[in-house]
């Protein structure tokens, strides 16, 4: 117990500068020639080693107050004795389709098992096997749907992932909860007498929402260049505190134009949050871990909608008129106080990324393990020193399919939900049978159901290794719900059913963004630029589309809005198969990096022999080394 307390409280405190400031951890990777009892042979300065799925056990280091020095290294388990480092002659004879080799990738040598595949009789339905060229049969067998971790995951790796789940995934959920609470509280305030107090007219509500969106879009542009080049563990909490102060300002507005200005700057300070957390997920988690964590992050969105109604209901009932302030004004103040607390926690929770780590809770060995996981996933590291205006980089990005195909895909994503329109709330109020507190309480139903949809979708995507299916699954229900609402002249029970399905539209968003992280994983700059670009374009589309199809004066029957949303969901579903095609094409071209050798005997191609593979690996490694030298 004392060891756990030391790791969770004593060591983190010693890593703080002046007792309260997290600083960048200088963690050296184990040296190239490191060896312990001849059990491990490291191949480079990134702490990778040759061998078959070698695991490090009981590596103990003594850290200084800043956690940067390694003074002693203790024993590793004798993995040769366990049969891990060496494949016996007998086992080699039993393996007919697998060949153990080391593949040079991301400046590291990663142990790979080659699986040979003759595509002469490949069935047409294999197109829908998303991970066909990404993971081999051996790796698939370790993925159990009922297990949170992949079978065979070491204790050290489980411990690291659980820490990341708390420090990054759980905190991001809190941060997104606050972000969305400060986003949707305008809708709750609108139906809680803000409309009358500020004299809203016509489409003023949708225009206030658009001002937030415009500020958000404009201030995303700098992060197009610097998302992967700044310590996000500092930036995100500071911006959180800034928009908290502006939320307090929203409580004291006296006109609609004043509120529009406040909302513009709240949107500006919230601009990088969504992008930054998605980027950080891609910096720590593997491709079949990411969707569940991104889905957990999205829980904050649903909890924000859910709690916005609950908080507004409680505040209106207990604080309306206190100190001369209306209940909706107190709601903004309460939201701001919560935001400040969450922002301060972020300074100590957010870990940065594995190569620019500021975490006070991760040990040196866990930082090294996080780096090794990046290499195993073929994820490029973030480099704060790279030139952001490299012409060659921008040429390669705009000559590739990713930025175009993914951007259009994301435009469909941002327009496939009716939640942010406030249609459900306005419909409840139009029934004229519920009090204001009751309306706010009923608003909690749809996000509550959304939490269930979200977690189901995340688990389905990760554990089935089929992200496209998870997306289609959500959009079927989304289209049904919006079609019912577009028809409108149905029984009231059918309308309730349609609104209860509205959160299916957003349930696929963590799948889409996690897939984007995976598609662009090999280069951090490409990943960051593509992420920001597709988000700006998609969010920009909502700024003008919402004015056209979600006019407040048409509430609660948004014929154009519900119809457009259903069409967007349908287009999103179709475009997902386009993304799947290009994704699989790229993965097939680099299948060898994933341990899969593809050939087609019907086209006269012969199965490559081991010597040819070895020569190709050497050539690939040499070429990669020369490219890196040239880029440096």
């Amino acid at each position: 117990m004392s060891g756990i307390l030391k790791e969770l409280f004593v060591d983190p405190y010693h890593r703080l500068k002046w007792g309260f400031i997290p600083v960048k951890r200088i963690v050296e990777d184990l040296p190239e020639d490191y060896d312990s009892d001849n059990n491990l042979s490291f191949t480079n300065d990134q702490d990778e080693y040759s061998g078959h799925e070698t695991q490090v056990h009981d590596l103990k280091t003594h850290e200084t107050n800043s956690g940067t020095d390694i003074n002693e290294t203790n024993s590793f388990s004798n993995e040769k004795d366990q049969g891990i480092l060496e494949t016996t002659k007998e086992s080699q004879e039993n393996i007919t389709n697998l060949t153990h080799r080391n593949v040079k990738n991301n400046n590291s040598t990663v142990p790979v098992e080659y699986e040979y595949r003759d595509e002469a009789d490949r069935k047409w339905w294999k197109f829908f096997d998303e991970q066909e060229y990404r993971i081999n049969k051996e790796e698939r067998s370790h993925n159990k749907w009922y297990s949170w971790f992949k079978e065979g995951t070491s204790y050290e790796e489980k411990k690291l992932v659980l820490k990341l789940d708390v420090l990054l995934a759980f905190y991001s959920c809190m941060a997104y909860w606050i972000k969305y609470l400060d986003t949707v509280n305008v809708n709750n305030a609108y139906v809680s007498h803000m409309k009358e107090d500020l004299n809203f007219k016509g489409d003023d509500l949708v225009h206030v929402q658009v001002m937030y969106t415009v500020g958000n879009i404009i201030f995303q542009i700098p992060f197009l260049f610097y998302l992967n080049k700044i310590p996000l563990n500092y930036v995100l909490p500071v911006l959180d505190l800034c928009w908290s102060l502006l939320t307090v300002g929203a409580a004291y507005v006296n006109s609609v134009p004043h509120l529009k200005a406040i909302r513009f700057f709240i949107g500006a300070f919230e601009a990088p949050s969504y992008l930054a957390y998605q980027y950080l997920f891609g910096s720590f988690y593997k491709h079949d871990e990411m969707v569940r964590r991104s889905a957990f992050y999205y829980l904050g969105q649903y909890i924000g909608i859910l709690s916005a109604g609950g908080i507004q209901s409680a505040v209106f009932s207990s604080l309306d008129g206190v100190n001369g302030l209306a209940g909706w004004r107190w709601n903004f103040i309460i939201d701001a106080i919560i935001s400040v607390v969450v922002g301060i926690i972020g300074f100590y929770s957010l870990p940065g990324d594995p190569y620019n780590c500021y975490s006070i809770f991760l040990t040196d060995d866990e930082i090294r393990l996080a780096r090794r996981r990046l290499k195993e996933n073929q994820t490029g590291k973030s480099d704060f020193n790279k030139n952001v205006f490299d012409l060659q980089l921008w040429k390669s990005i705009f000559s590739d399919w990713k930025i175009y195909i993914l951007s259009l895909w994301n435009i469909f994503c941002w327009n496939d939900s009716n939640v942010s329109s406030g249609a459900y709330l306005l419909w409840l109020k139009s029934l004229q049978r519920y009090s204001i507190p009751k309306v706010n309480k009923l608003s909690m139903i749809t996000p509550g159901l959304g939490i269930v949809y979200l977690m189901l979708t995340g688990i389905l995507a990760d554990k089935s290794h089929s992200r496209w299916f998870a997306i289609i699954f959500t959009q079927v229900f989304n289209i049904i719900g919006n079609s019912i609402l577009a028809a409108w002249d149905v029984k009231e029970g059918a309308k309730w059913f349609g609104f209860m399905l509205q959160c299916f539209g957003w349930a696929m968003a963590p799948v889409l963004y996690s897939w984007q992280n995976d598609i662009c994983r090999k280069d951090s700059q490409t990943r960051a630029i593509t992420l920001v670009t597709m988000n700006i374009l998609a969010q920009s589309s909502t700024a003008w589309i919402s004015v056209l199809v979600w006019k407040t004066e048409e509430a609660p029957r948004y014929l154009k809005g519900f119809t457009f949303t259903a069409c967007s969901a349908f287009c999103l579903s179709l475009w997902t198969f386009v993304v799947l095609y290009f994704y699989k094409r790229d993965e097939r071209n680099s299948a060898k990096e994933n341990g899969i050798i593809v050939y087609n005997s019907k086209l006269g191609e012969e199965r490559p022999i081991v010597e040819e593979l070895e020569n190709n690996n050497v050539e690939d490694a040499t070429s990669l080394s020369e490219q890196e030298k040239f880029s440096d």
Side-chain angles (χ1 to χ4, degrees), residues 51-52 79 93 97 159 257 282 380 389 458 462 516 519 568:
H52 174 53
E79 299 183 359
E93 292 173 351
N97 288 327
K159 182 181 173 183
F389 299 107
D462 270 351
Q516 181 273 337
I519 290 171
S568 295

Side-chain angles (χ1 to χ4, degrees), residues 18-288:
W18 300 323
F20 70 98
I21 299 179
V23 293
K24 185 174 179 179
R25 301 281 298 282
I26 309 300
V27 179
E28 297 294 337
D29 290 318
L30 293 175
E32 184 173 336
D33 58 351
Y34 181 83
D35 184 75
S36 176
D37 298 330
N38 297 317
N39 287 330
L40 298 173
S41 176
F42 289 89
T43 58
N44 63 21
D45 63 343
Q46 302 299 330
D47 127 53
E48 288 295 337
Y49 48 84
S50 61
H52 174 53
E53 295 183 9
T54 312
Q55 296 177 354
V56 178
H57 296 282
D58 302 326
L59 176 60
K60 298 178 181 178
T61 61
H62 176 73
E63 301 175 350
T64 64
N65 287 349
S66 63
T68 60
D69 297 326
I70 304 172
N71 295 330
E72 97 179 81
T73 306
N74 284 337
S75 63
F76 289 83
S77 61
N78 193 331
E79 299 183 359
K80 279 188 176 181
D81 293 341
Q82 298 175 23
I84 295 176
L85 290 180
E86 295 182 342
T87 305
T88 64
K89 182 178 181 180
E90 181 181 356
S91 65
Q92 287 175 336
E93 292 173 351
N94 291 332
I95 299 175
T96 57
N97 288 327
L98 297 177
T99 304
H100 298 282
R101 288 296 178 267
N102 287 329
V103 179
K104 191 76 175 181
N105 182 28
N106 287 343
N107 199 29
S108 65
T109 302
V110 180
V112 175
E113 291 183 339
Y114 284 138
E115 177 183 313
Y116 290 91
R117 293 186 188 169
D118 184 356
E119 296 201 316
D121 298 312
R122 180 175 176 268
K123 306 301 182 183
W124 65 267
W125 58 78
K126 293 297 290 182
F127 168 78
F128 300 102
D129 182 359
E130 182 184 310
Q131 303 292 345
E132 181 181 6
Y133 304 113
R134 183 68 190 277
I135 56 178
N136 57 36
K137 292 179 180 178
E138 175 67 18
E139 187 175 348
R140 284 176 189 257
S141 66
H142 295 307
N143 187 58
K144 308 298 183 183
W145 67 268
Y146 52 82
S147 176
W148 189 252
F149 297 101
K150 187 179 294 184
E151 189 179 65
T153 303
S154 68
Y155 168 78
E156 290 80 5
E157 188 168 355
K158 289 179 180 178
K159 182 181 173 183
L160 169 63
V161 172
L162 287 175
K163 277 190 176 183
L164 292 173
D165 287 347
V166 174
L167 297 174
L168 181 54
F170 180 72
Y171 175 77
S172 70
C173 178
M174 287 199 304
Y176 202 26
W177 164 54
I178 288 301
K179 178 184 183 298
Y180 219 78
L181 192 63
D182 291 341
T183 301
V184 301
N185 54 16
V186 168
N187 291 334
N188 292 93
Y190 183 81
V191 297
S192 302
H193 290 326
M194 183 177 74
K195 175 183 177 181
E196 294 77 12
D197 290 351
L198 298 186
N199 194 26
F200 273 73
K201 296 178 181 178
D203 293 325
D204 279 347
L205 176 61
V206 72
H207 292 157
V208 167
Q209 294 167 336
V210 167
M211 288 303 294
Y212 169 89
T213 303
V214 170
N216 205 267
I217 293 169
I218 292 174
F219 284 89
Q220 283 180 43
I221 295 174
F223 293 91
L224 187 67
F225 307 98
Y226 294 106
L227 180 62
N228 67 323
K229 300 198 179 335
I230 52 178
L232 295 172
N233 57 292
Y234 289 159
V235 174
L236 294 176
V238 167
L239 294 177
D240 195 335
L241 296 177
C242 290
W243 87 57
S244 300
L245 296 176
L246 287 167
T247 303
V248 173
Y252 293 94
V253 297
N254 52 27
S255 66
V256 173
H258 190 184
L259 181 61
K260 287 181 180 179
I262 290 286
R263 295 296 294 175
F264 174 85
F265 286 104
I266 290 177
F269 284 116
E270 289 185 3
S273 298
Y274 187 85
L275 304 168
Y277 288 112
Q278 293 293 344
Y279 180 81
L280 289 174
F281 291 140
S283 298
F284 276 103
Y285 291 112
K286 294 184 177 181
H287 68 101
D288 54 0

Side-chain angles (χ1 to χ4, degrees), residues 69 78 156 164 166 340 357 446 533 554-555 587 590 600 613:
D69 297 326
N78 193 331
E156 290 80 5
L164 292 173
V166 174
V340 169
C357 187
T446 54
T533 301
E554 296 178 2
E587 292 301 329
S590 59
N600 193 324
L613 293 175

Side-chain angles (χ1 to χ4, degrees), residues 189-408:
Y190 183 81
V191 297
S192 302
H193 290 326
M194 183 177 74
K195 175 183 177 181
E196 294 77 12
D197 290 351
L198 298 186
N199 194 26
F200 273 73
K201 296 178 181 178
D203 293 325
D204 279 347
L205 176 61
V206 72
H207 292 157
V208 167
Q209 294 167 336
V210 167
M211 288 303 294
Y212 169 89
T213 303
V214 170
N216 205 267
I217 293 169
I218 292 174
F219 284 89
Q220 283 180 43
I221 295 174
F223 293 91
L224 187 67
F225 307 98
Y226 294 106
L227 180 62
N228 67 323
K229 300 198 179 335
I230 52 178
L232 295 172
N233 57 292
Y234 289 159
V235 174
L236 294 176
V238 167
L239 294 177
D240 195 335
L241 296 177
C242 290
W243 87 57
S244 300
L245 296 176
L246 287 167
T247 303
V248 173
Y252 293 94
V253 297
N254 52 27
S255 66
V256 173
H258 190 184
L259 181 61
K260 287 181 180 179
I262 290 286
R263 295 296 294 175
F264 174 85
F265 286 104
I266 290 177
F269 284 116
E270 289 185 3
S273 298
Y274 187 85
L275 304 168
Y277 288 112
Q278 293 293 344
Y279 180 81
L280 289 174
F281 291 140
S283 298
F284 276 103
Y285 291 112
K286 294 184 177 181
H287 68 101
D288 54 0
E289 300 170 339
M290 209 181 307
V291 178
R292 281 168 289 165
R293 276 70 183 190
S294 185
F296 195 76
Y297 165 60
Y298 264 82
L299 280 180
Q301 185 179 45
Y302 292 101
I303 296 172
I305 302 171
L306 189 152
S307 58
I311 292 173
Q312 179 66 71
S313 177
V315 169
F316 190 89
S317 300
S318 59
L319 294 177
D320 188 33
V322 174
N323 292 333
L325 294 179
W328 64 267
R329 295 183 186 274
W330 276 110
N331 185 50
F332 287 125
I333 295 172
I334 299 298
D335 290 350
I337 293 172
I338 300 172
S339 300
V340 169
V341 174
V342 173
I344 293 173
I345 293 174
F347 279 110
Y348 303 98
S349 180
L350 289 174
D353 68 76
Y355 285 92
N356 304 279
C357 187
Y358 290 76
S359 177
I360 61 176
F361 294 101
L362 298 181
T363 67
D364 285 5
D365 293 328
E366 286 169 340
I367 294 173
R368 295 189 188 95
L369 178 56
R371 294 173 183 175
R372 186 165 75 244
R373 282 165 48 85
L374 278 189
K375 296 165 195 166
E376 291 171 354
N377 197 59
Q378 305 169 18
T379 303
K381 68 178 183 178
S382 300
D383 187 348
F384 286 6
N385 298 316
K386 277 191 175 181
N387 182 11
V388 295
F389 299 107
D390 183 357
L391 184 59
Q392 192 62 38
L393 167 70
W394 290 91
K395 282 184 178 179
S396 67
I397 290 174
F398 286 105
S399 61
D400 194 16
W401 65 271
K402 298 179 181 66
I403 198 165
Y404 305 104
I405 300 296
L406 298 181
S407 293
L408 182 56

